[in-house]
Amino acid sequence: MRSIRVRGLPLLLLLVLAACVSSAGRQHQRDEPVTRVRVDNRSFTGYTIYVLDGKIRTRLGRVDATSEATFVIPPNLLFGPTPLQFEIAPLASNDRPHSQVIQVNPGETVTLLIPR
């Protein structure tokens, strides 16, 4: 009986340590500021929105015609103030217009306006 407790104790300590590390990782992620892009689409076309960081192209989502949508910019793309560019791809076209390069700070909300 005593040997079972001794063998079980290291396993129990390992499980407690794993739970502490896991919850510490989640706490750190919650403390990171959330950075967003709000898209105000005033046109009669739907668009897919991408964020460009150098050569990395990440799909954020889709905004329907004459509507607004807000997307979270993945935190792994931001390292302090970061120059980003947005690609606004019409759903019914092969065009790929880009925004200018925008300096984005963690925690900010950037607004993109798609005119009629």
Side-chain angles (χ1 to χ4, degrees), residues 43-80:
S43 76
F44 296 106
T45 303
Y47 292 87
T48 302
I49 308 300
Y50 299 89
V51 62
L52 306 171
D53 176 31
K55 296 188 180 205
I56 298 171
R57 179 179 178 238
T58 304
R59 183 182 186 277
L60 297 178
R62 185 177 133 178
V63 60
D64 293 326
T66 64
S67 66
E68 293 181 9
T70 301
F71 307 103
V72 174
I73 298 173
N76 64 315
L77 297 179
L78 298 166
F79 302 98

Side-chain angles (χ1 to χ4, degrees), residues 38-43 63 66-69 111-115:
R38 186 178 74 82
V39 181
D40 182 1
N41 183 6
R42 296 183 182 175
S43 76
V63 60
T66 64
S67 66
E68 293 181 9
T111 300
L112 298 177
L113 172 65
I114 302 172

Side-chain angles (χ1 to χ4, degrees), residues 5-45:
R5 286 185 192 170
V6 172
R7 282 190 216 153
L9 184 61
L11 179 60
L12 178 63
L13 290 174
L14 182 62
L15 291 174
V16 170
L17 180 61
C20 291
V21 169
S22 176
S23 66
R26 284 191 297 253
Q27 179 65 32
H28 178 68
Q29 289 175 349
R30 277 187 250 146
D31 292 342
E32 292 177 2
V34 177
T35 308
R36 296 179 174 89
V37 58
R38 186 178 74 82
V39 181
D40 182 1
N41 183 6
R42 296 183 182 175
S43 76
F44 296 106
T45 303

